[in-house]
Amino acid sequence: MRLHVPIRLRWSDLDAYGHVNNAEMLRLLEEARIEAFWVSHDARDAAVGASTAVIDGRPGADTITLISRQEVEYLAPVPYLRAPLDVELWIANMSGARLDVCYEVFAPPESEPRTLFARASTTIVLVDAASGRPRRITDHERAAWSPYQDEPLRFTRRT
Amino acid sequence: MRLHVPIRLRWSDLDAYGHVNNAEMLRLLEEARIEAFWVSHDARDAAVGASTAVIDGRPGADTITLISRQEVEYLAPVPYLRAPLDVELWIANMSGARLDVCYEVFAPPESEPRTLFARASTTIVLVDAASGRPRRITDHERAAWSPYQDEPLRFTRRT
Amino acid sequence: MRLHVPIRLRWSDLDAYGHVNNAEMLRLLEEARIEAFWVSHDARDAAVGASTAVIDGRPGADTITLISRQEVEYLAPVPYLRAPLDVELWIANMSGARLDVCYEVFAPPESEPRTLFARASTTIVLVDAASGRPRRITDHERAAWSPYQDEPLRFTRRT
Amino acid sequence: MRLHVPIRLRWSDLDAYGHVNNAEMLRLLEEARIEAFWVSHDARDAAVGASTAVIDGRPGADTITLISRQEVEYLAPVPYLRAPLDVELWIANMSGARLDVCYEVFAPPESEPRTLFARASTTIVLVDAASGRPRRITDHERAAWSPYQDEPLRFTRRT
């Protein structure tokens, strides 16, 4: 099963070529990840998959999430769109302190055709804020995330 | 009358102090402005004040909007919030090719207290894309924007 | 007397119009300020006015600098340039915990003509990190900065 | 042989964790790439490997560079540094319209220890601006870049 996270572009995501910049794409994935996995402490914000949002990301929280690795294939330039992109997101691996998140970034659901703009994966390491050392995925986290575990992406452009 | 434009933060709007960066605030105002005044060409996107959205901002459009001046008073640090900020927006002056947009940036409507984070104004000049020269506000634009014309902000921190 | 701080653009400072984005301009001023006023703890970095660099900006330092106000007049669009901009910077007022920094942003010194791209001012409040309250400019800071005190900018586009 | 490109951080590259943000790292690589491969049209800017800088990146130029793929391993968090990072950069493959650029991002040369912060690769496709279609690497480009051709990076964190 996959999460669907709507992610709005900003006009400033465009670079001088008039397309969403390649680095900015990683910020969009970051937002999708936060929306999906981080507890929201705003009462009214329960937009997406509240059941998977179990990491406390507030300043002073127990856990820090470090990015260990990222891989992106850019399949089509992303123009400026006012309707949110549809970021599909799932977990390919969970082991120890490590989590592999995969994404497929699509045009807004109503678009014709429904372009696949990018495929990506991010390896996250959960780190104990106090000790600065990796800490294992908890049973609670594993239970929340297991329904969204799926096959890893196959990247086709590696040399 | 004022427009209310909901603007979502991104986690990357925060700087190393853990607050929304002062420069990033101008990007949030930029988004609010685009939402309010630029025609959306996404069928499903009619979130805010469609009646005021009369500037065509697409690549190749007739008009470019240049920023001539900005002024911001930062009244309280903006923490990371998942619910959208409530950007109030109105037009203080329209004359010739020039438009003064004013903003008050509030915490999300449900927040208690409803903090006023910032006050700002932006002077926009409408420029003809072909000639690169300022071009007058059209009757159509003036009619669309007049209902949202209001007193200019009084800035209190000028020296 | 004025400080001259060379500030390099990045290609990503450009927006879809192909010019340095208006919000990004504030990041460039931020960099110029840091270069001028913050102690560098890199041994080899003594590029600019070391004598004015007396604020310790490291994580965990005693002082936080908050931005209370900014005003910018954009006089000419800034194209992508590889040679650093020449940011002239001086202090207009110092009183209590408050500091008004003024800037004029010029094309690189070798350019012909030497375009003035923008004029700006930033009001900074020095805040004690522990108490979160404003703290007075110290004698040491005042002595370091006094040689660079000059007339405030006259903004010409206020309405 | 490898190019060494000094890349300065900005304070705004840090995120709320106080480290250079993972997405921002790609902007730093973008800057290194531009410095290395794009012709500079500033007379005074001949900082790095002018002999490899053969792509004309100006607005209206014949060639657009699209990013097709990126991969990054983040080996250590990058703190705020005033001295420039030392980005080592070389070309792993050139074939047809495609170029694989590899990077190792090191602490400034004077640092002790000289930390390796990240390893990355970017696949670039050269596109003819007029037709929008890939165009082959020219003999001139190949001659300029061949001295900097080296083994591809071995990424160690792929699953």
Side-chain angles (χ1 to χ4, degrees):
Chain A
M1 199 162 52
R2 296 179 176 195
L3 284 160
H4 286 258
V5 187
I7 294 291
R8 294 188 82 87
L9 295 178
R10 293 182 182 170
W11 187 75
S12 56
D13 295 335
L14 305 181
D15 61 23
Y17 284 161
H19 299 135
V20 171
N21 182 264
N22 66 82
E24 210 58 30
M25 176 62 78
L26 292 194
R27 291 206 188 282
L28 304 180
L29 303 182
E30 181 174 74
E31 281 309 295
R33 228 159 45 218
I34 289 171
E35 195 73 25
F37 298 137
W38 289 22
V39 176
S40 172
H41 298 279
D42 295 320
R44 59 166 280 191
D45 184 65
V48 184
S51 59
T52 60
V54 292
I55 298 180
D56 188 343
R58 286 177 297 182
D62 291 345
T63 298
I64 283 174
T65 53
L66 291 191
I67 305 303
S68 154
R69 183 181 175 281
Q70 294 202 90
E71 187 167 358
V72 193
E73 289 181 358
Y74 303 88
L75 307 177
V78 185
Y80 181 54
L81 297 166
R82 294 273 282 267
L85 295 177
D86 174 25
V87 180
E88 286 192 12
L89 184 152
W90 69 98
I91 294 172
N93 303 289
M94 287 189 266
S95 84
R98 170 182 169 165
L99 196 66
D100 288 331
V101 182
C102 295
Y103 323 76
E104 290 188 331
V105 179
F106 287 97
E110 295 76 0
S111 308
E112 253 334 312
R114 189 157 164 272
T115 311
L116 174 59
F117 290 125
R119 272 194 294 260
S121 75
T122 304
T123 301
I124 297 171
V125 176
L126 302 178
V127 169
D128 178 71
S131 70
R133 300 183 59 84
R135 64 104 174 131
R136 300 182 66 79
I137 297 171
T138 64
D139 291 347
H140 177 52
E141 288 162 350
R142 189 175 295 269
W145 296 336
S146 288
Y148 299 93
Q149 199 158 1
D150 200 346
E151 292 288 297
L153 269 175
R154 271 173 222 291
F155 289 102
T156 60
R157 296 180 170 182
R158 287 183 182 169
T159 30
Chain B
M1 198 160 55
R2 296 181 175 194
L3 284 160
H4 285 258
V5 187
I7 293 291
R8 295 188 82 87
L9 295 178
R10 293 182 183 169
W11 187 75
S12 56
D13 295 335
L14 306 180
D15 62 22
Y17 284 163
H19 299 135
V20 171
N21 182 264
N22 66 82
E24 210 58 30
M25 176 62 79
L26 293 194
R27 291 205 188 281
L28 304 179
L29 303 181
E30 182 175 73
E31 281 309 295
R33 229 159 45 221
I34 289 171
E35 195 74 24
F37 297 138
W38 288 23
V39 176
S40 172
H41 299 278
D42 295 319
R44 57 165 281 191
D45 185 62
V48 184
S51 59
T52 59
V54 292
I55 298 179
D56 189 342
R58 286 176 298 180
D62 290 345
T63 298
I64 282 175
T65 53
L66 290 191
I67 305 303
S68 154
R69 183 182 174 279
Q70 295 202 88
E71 187 166 356
V72 193
E73 290 181 357
Y74 303 89
L75 307 177
V78 185
Y80 181 55
L81 297 166
R82 294 272 283 267
L85 296 176
D86 175 25
V87 179
E88 286 192 12
L89 183 153
W90 68 99
I91 294 172
N93 303 288
M94 287 188 267
S95 84
R98 170 182 169 165
L99 195 67
D100 288 332
V101 181
C102 296
Y103 323 76
E104 289 188 332
V105 179
F106 287 97
E110 296 75 1
S111 306
E112 257 329 315
R114 189 156 163 273
T115 312
L116 173 59
F117 290 124
R119 271 193 295 259
S121 75
T122 304
T123 301
I124 296 171
V125 176
L126 302 179
V127 170
D128 179 72
S131 71
R133 299 184 58 85
R135 64 104 175 132
R136 300 183 65 81
I137 296 171
T138 65
D139 291 347
H140 176 52
E141 288 162 350
R142 189 174 296 271
W145 296 335
S146 288
Y148 299 94
Q149 200 159 0
D150 201 346
E151 292 288 296
L153 268 175
R154 272 173 221 290
F155 289 101
T156 59
R157 296 180 171 181
R158 285 184 184 167
T159 30
Chain C
M1 199 161 50
R2 297 180 175 196
L3 284 160
H4 286 258
V5 188
I7 295 291
R8 294 188 83 87
L9 295 178
R10 293 183 182 168
W11 188 75
S12 57
D13 295 336
L14 306 180
D15 61 23
Y17 285 161
H19 300 134
V20 172
N21 182 264
N22 66 82
E24 210 58 30
M25 177 61 79
L26 293 194
R27 291 205 188 282
L28 304 179
L29 303 182
E30 182 175 75
E31 281 309 296
R33 228 158 46 219
I34 289 171
E35 196 72 24
F37 297 139
W38 289 22
V39 176
S40 172
H41 298 278
D42 295 320
R44 58 166 277 192
D45 184 63
V48 185
S51 59
T52 60
V54 292
I55 298 180
D56 188 342
R58 286 176 297 180
D62 290 346
T63 297
I64 282 174
T65 53
L66 291 190
I67 305 304
S68 155
R69 183 180 176 281
Q70 294 202 91
E71 189 166 356
V72 193
E73 290 181 356
Y74 303 89
L75 307 176
V78 185
Y80 181 56
L81 297 166
R82 293 271 285 266
L85 296 176
D86 174 24
V87 179
E88 286 192 14
L89 183 153
W90 69 98
I91 294 173
N93 302 288
M94 286 189 268
S95 84
R98 170 182 170 164
L99 196 66
D100 289 331
V101 181
C102 295
Y103 323 77
E104 289 188 330
V105 180
F106 287 96
E110 296 75 1
S111 308
E112 253 334 309
R114 188 156 164 272
T115 311
L116 174 59
F117 290 124
R119 271 193 294 259
S121 75
T122 304
T123 301
I124 296 171
V125 177
L126 302 179
V127 170
D128 178 72
S131 70
R133 300 183 59 84
R135 65 104 175 132
R136 300 183 65 81
I137 295 171
T138 65
D139 290 347
H140 176 52
E141 288 162 349
R142 189 174 296 269
W145 296 336
S146 288
Y148 299 94
Q149 200 158 1
D150 200 344
E151 291 289 295
L153 269 176
R154 273 174 221 286
F155 290 102
T156 60
R157 296 181 170 182
R158 286 182 183 170
T159 32
Chain D
M1 197 162 51
R2 297 180 175 196
L3 284 159
H4 285 258
V5 188
I7 294 291
R8 295 187 80 89
L9 294 178
R10 293 182 183 169
W11 188 75
S12 57
D13 295 335
L14 305 182
D15 61 23
Y17 285 161
H19 299 134
V20 171
N21 183 264
N22 66 82
E24 211 58 32
M25 176 61 78
L26 292 194
R27 291 205 188 284
L28 305 179
L29 303 183
E30 183 174 73
E31 282 308 296
R33 227 157 45 218
I34 290 171
E35 195 73 25
F37 297 138
W38 289 22
V39 176
S40 172
H41 297 278
D42 295 320
R44 58 166 278 189
D45 184 63
V48 184
S51 59
T52 60
V54 292
I55 298 180
D56 189 342
R58 286 177 296 181
D62 290 345
T63 297
I64 283 175
T65 53
L66 291 190
I67 305 304
S68 153
R69 182 180 175 280
Q70 295 202 88
E71 187 166 356
V72 193
E73 290 181 355
Y74 303 88
L75 306 177
V78 185
Y80 181 55
L81 297 167
R82 294 272 283 267
L85 296 177
D86 174 25
V87 179
E88 286 193 12
L89 184 152
W90 68 100
I91 295 173
N93 302 288
M94 287 189 267
S95 83
R98 170 181 168 165
L99 197 65
D100 289 330
V101 181
C102 296
Y103 323 77
E104 289 188 329
V105 179
F106 287 96
E110 297 74 1
S111 308
E112 259 324 317
R114 189 156 163 271
T115 311
L116 174 59
F117 291 124
R119 269 193 294 260
S121 76
T122 303
T123 302
I124 297 172
V125 176
L126 302 178
V127 170
D128 178 71
S131 69
R133 300 184 59 84
R135 65 101 174 135
R136 300 183 65 82
I137 296 171
T138 65
D139 290 347
H140 177 52
E141 288 162 349
R142 188 175 295 271
W145 297 336
S146 289
Y148 299 94
Q149 199 158 1
D150 201 345
E151 291 289 297
L153 268 175
R154 273 172 221 288
F155 290 102
T156 59
R157 296 179 170 183
R158 286 183 182 169
T159 31

